[in-house]
Amino acid sequence: MKQQYKISAYILSLLISCIFAVSISYAQDFREPVDNLTLSSRNDYGTYNYNDKKPKYFHTGMDVKNANLDPRNYNTPVYAIEDGVIHKIFGLNRPSDNLRRCDGSWETSPSYDSEGNYYDSKNNHGFGMTVIIKHDSGKYSLYGHLHCVSLGINPGTRVTRGEQIGILGNSAYEYLQHERFGPHLHFEIKDRGVLCDQEDDYKYFGYSEPPYPDAYGYHDPILYLNRSKITDVSPFPIVLNYDMILRPGPGTKYGRLTNPQYLGSDLFRDTEFVVFRKAEVEPDLCPSGVWYQIYLPSLYSPSGTERYGDYEGWICSDYVSPSSSSVGEVVNTGTDGLLVHIQPTVDAEVIAKVFDAQKLVYSQTSPSGSGCNNQWYKIFLPKGVNGNINSGWICGNYFATTPPEQTLSVSLTADHSSGNAPLDVTLTADVSGTATGT
């Protein structure tokens, strides 16, 4: 049947964007907060914690260090990632003399931000000495656990990209050197100039419950750091041609995403995942310099040996191939996520967890029942403490499978003889099958 639709030029532009999968670039000239940046621990942006201080929460920043310096020497400079204004500075949780300057002197932390508003700078919520910068781009960056803050860095001070603002450390609460963790920089990019997600004293600081931290105004720092040209792509499945290593960013320089105790690779050959971002960077051990960001189930071990899981990670595109496998999306799980079982029954061992908006390849289905009102779907898993297990089962109650692709033939015509394109155009489409909706 032939149908005609009257649509505005704006809606048409959105439709064309969808048809041609126009990508969205995240490339911005933000420098790294430390030179030779790499992860300092297991805590990447969006790392999911099972048995740590914040169980069942996502990490809202990256814990980083300079790969070429020993952070225990307290000599790693921390830099402003972009031009901006110092918005807030927090000292240790002490009534006075709680802010250490990098010349060794102590003073009382300021109590008014760059806009003249009072805030409690003596309650750092575990971030220790912290600097928050309001950038010209409208984003804010947070630098936590500093060992000291540079002289002249105060709320209202204008800073330039690459200007030193402090030294990397492990301050927290009232302690200059907290014994619970080693020196590193907790680094965030966010929409608000506050310690937590909504304000300085609020529910989430350093960690947030599902959904992903983006929902609370946080952003993956990798998307904003320099030397990465990152674009969103229309999600598509790939299959791994080899066992592979996962990275927290597009490049081997970022270190390894998974625990160092895992010798060898992090992903099994012949497993399949969904790509949703692409990066083109300088070639390193990835010859083409093209990297894919993929969704990942967060591995889980009830014994506590698997403390962390991942929502996503980066792999080199040179060692994968396109896949024609079916894809589904996790939906309506709220803050709980969806458990992955070793067998298609709710009584089977839980080996991973997946979360809303994640798109996953499924390779097999199993009939409903065994505690699930819908059929079960078999998905692929990364390597981990579960040995050679490369797949698990999720209940279809919370998994929306993608319908097969449909071909839409579109013909566009517009009379612009007057010199200006009309605000409205007529879209004529030949539609096969049954048309529904309004």
Side-chain angles (χ1 to χ4, degrees), residues 335-392:
T335 60
D336 296 325
L338 178 59
L339 299 179
V340 182
H341 298 269
I342 196 169
Q343 296 293 336
T345 169
V346 294
D347 297 324
E349 179 185 356
V350 175
I351 53 177
K353 203 182 243 192
V354 291
F355 301 93
D356 284 355
Q358 285 190 304
K359 293 179 173 62
L360 307 166
V361 172
Y362 62 94
S363 61
Q364 190 177 338
T365 61
S366 181
S368 61
S370 303
C372 177
N373 297 329
N374 205 319
Q375 64 182 352
W376 289 84
Y377 293 88
K378 191 175 186 179
I379 63 170
F380 293 99
L381 302 176
K383 289 186 178 181
V385 295
N386 295 313
N388 292 322
I389 299 173
N390 67 356
S391 61

Side-chain angles (χ1 to χ4, degrees), residues 291-308:
W291 292 77
Y292 288 153
Q293 192 174 24
I294 60 174
Y295 291 110
L296 294 168
S298 295
L299 295 178
Y300 172 69
S301 170
S303 65
T305 53
E306 183 65 73
R307 295 176 60 195
Y308 304 102

